[in-house]
């Protein structure tokens, strides 16, 4: 078992998959056309990662509306997070780079490390199947979600109010649009209005949550 396999806790049956996952395009270009780089694996790994994370948060965050699920997934699969995960296994030390790329700090470049991490996911998926890829991904995702949970929940209504108050005379109000479902599983839809003009709409299992989601949409439309 190689040092990297020991770090990730997975032994490849086909070691060539791992080698491709670790080969950057600069190395492939430098060494010749017979050397395959990891760009195609990165493409596959991106989709496998998204499916694993989406399935997990969908099943484990049943109280989250679609907007919050999308936001949570984005925070877990973004370049910043993947770079962090790659650093945890010292992935940069194993990536094959051209001499110029390595001397230029490529082994610690977020874009290169995050892409290689996705390629590594694809390699595990191709070699061992979805469950093995999922096991690998979840070793990083579960601790990261715990860190996210520790962070205070953003109060979109307060943030929106603070922005609107910067312009004297602007009037902000919330309006409940609809209420549906049985008593034990209600769904509310609310709108937020600025000077009688709707600037956001959102839904939730309570009036408070619906208003928060309406404020969140308003902030996104305003570029915040």
């Amino acid at each position: 078992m190689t040092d990297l396999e020991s770090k990730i806790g997975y032994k490849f049956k086909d070691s060539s998959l791992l080698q491709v996952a670790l080969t950057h395009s600069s190395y492939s270009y430098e060494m010749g056309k017979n050397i395959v780089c990891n760009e195609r694996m990165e493409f596959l790994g991106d989709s496998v990662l998204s499916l694993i994370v989406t399935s997990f948060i969908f099943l484990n965050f049943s109280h989250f509306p679609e907007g919050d699920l999308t936001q949570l997934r984005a925070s877990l699969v973004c370049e910043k997070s993947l770079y962090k995960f790659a650093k945890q296994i010292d992935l940069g030390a194993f990536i094959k780079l051209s001499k110029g790329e390595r001397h230029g700090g490529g082994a610690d470049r977020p874009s290169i490390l995050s892409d290689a991490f996705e390629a590594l996911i694809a390699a595990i998926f191709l070699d061992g199947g979805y469950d093995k890829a999922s096991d690998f991904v979840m070793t990083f995702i579960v601790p990261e979600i715990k860190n996210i949970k520790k962070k205070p929940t953003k109060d979109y209504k307060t943030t929106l109010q603070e922005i609107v108050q910067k312009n004297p005379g602007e009037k902000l109000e919330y309006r409940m649009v609809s209420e549906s479902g049985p008593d034990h599983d209600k769904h509310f839809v609310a709108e937020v209005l600025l000077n009688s003009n709707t600037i956001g709409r959102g839904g939730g299992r309570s009036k408070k949550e619906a208003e928060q989601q309406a404020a969140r949409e308003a902030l996104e439309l305003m570029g915040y």
Side-chain angles (χ1 to χ4, degrees):
M1 182 176 280
T2 66
D3 289 343
L4 181 57
E5 286 175 319
S6 297
K7 284 178 178 290
I8 66 177
Y10 180 78
K11 170 70 174 175
F12 279 86
K13 297 184 286 290
D14 182 356
S15 60
S16 67
L17 291 170
L18 176 59
Q19 294 307 311
V20 172
L22 297 174
T23 303
H24 186 252
S25 57
S26 65
Y27 182 87
S28 176
Y29 180 79
E30 183 176 78
M31 299 303 292
K33 62 182 181 180
N34 292 327
I35 303 298
V36 180
C37 73
N38 63 8
E39 289 179 347
R40 280 173 54 83
M41 277 200 179
E42 173 206 336
F43 168 77
L44 175 60
D46 176 70
S47 294
V48 174
L49 170 65
S50 182
L51 178 58
I52 291 170
V53 173
T54 300
S55 299
F56 179 79
I57 63 176
F58 178 81
L59 294 172
N60 290 275
F61 292 80
S62 58
H63 59 293
F64 272 29
E66 180 188 2
D68 283 354
L69 288 173
T70 299
Q71 202 167 35
L72 177 57
R73 179 179 61 190
S75 70
L76 293 168
V77 303
C78 66
E79 181 181 285
K80 181 179 179 180
S81 291
L82 299 186
Y83 173 67
K84 176 182 175 181
F85 301 157
K87 293 288 287 182
Q88 289 175 17
I89 55 174
D90 195 22
L91 190 57
F94 302 96
I95 300 174
K96 297 177 182 178
L97 300 164
S98 67
K99 292 178 181 178
E101 191 65 66
R102 186 164 294 280
H103 290 156
D108 195 44
R109 187 166 293 135
S111 60
I112 290 178
L113 285 179
S114 61
D115 288 349
F117 189 82
E118 288 180 329
L120 180 57
I121 293 171
I124 295 173
F125 171 74
L126 291 171
D127 191 73
Y130 180 85
D131 287 345
K132 292 296 183 182
S134 181
D135 289 344
F136 170 68
V137 169
M138 294 316 298
T139 60
F140 301 92
I141 296 300
V142 171
E144 190 66 13
I145 284 179
K146 289 180 180 178
N147 288 334
I148 291 172
K149 279 185 173 181
K150 291 177 183 176
K151 298 176 183 176
T153 302
K154 188 170 182 178
D155 186 345
Y156 298 109
K157 288 182 66 176
T158 298
T159 302
L160 181 60
Q161 184 68 39
E162 290 172 349
I163 293 170
V164 171
Q165 284 176 345
K166 293 178 182 178
N167 301 301
E170 301 283 358
K171 182 183 179 183
L172 193 68
E173 62 179 319
Y174 291 86
R175 179 174 64 194
M176 202 56 53
V177 177
S178 67
E179 177 182 333
S180 60
D183 290 339
H184 68 280
D185 191 22
K186 287 284 189 183
H187 183 76
F188 300 88
V189 176
E191 289 181 341
V192 57
L193 298 89
L194 180 62
N195 300 329
S196 301
N197 297 311
T198 301
I199 59 172
R201 185 183 178 98
R205 300 179 70 176
S206 68
K207 293 179 180 179
K208 181 179 179 180
E209 183 182 351
E211 291 178 350
Q212 283 284 352
Q213 292 307 313
R216 180 183 64 81
E217 182 177 273
L219 288 167
E220 289 178 353
L221 292 173
M222 294 167 68
Y224 289 93

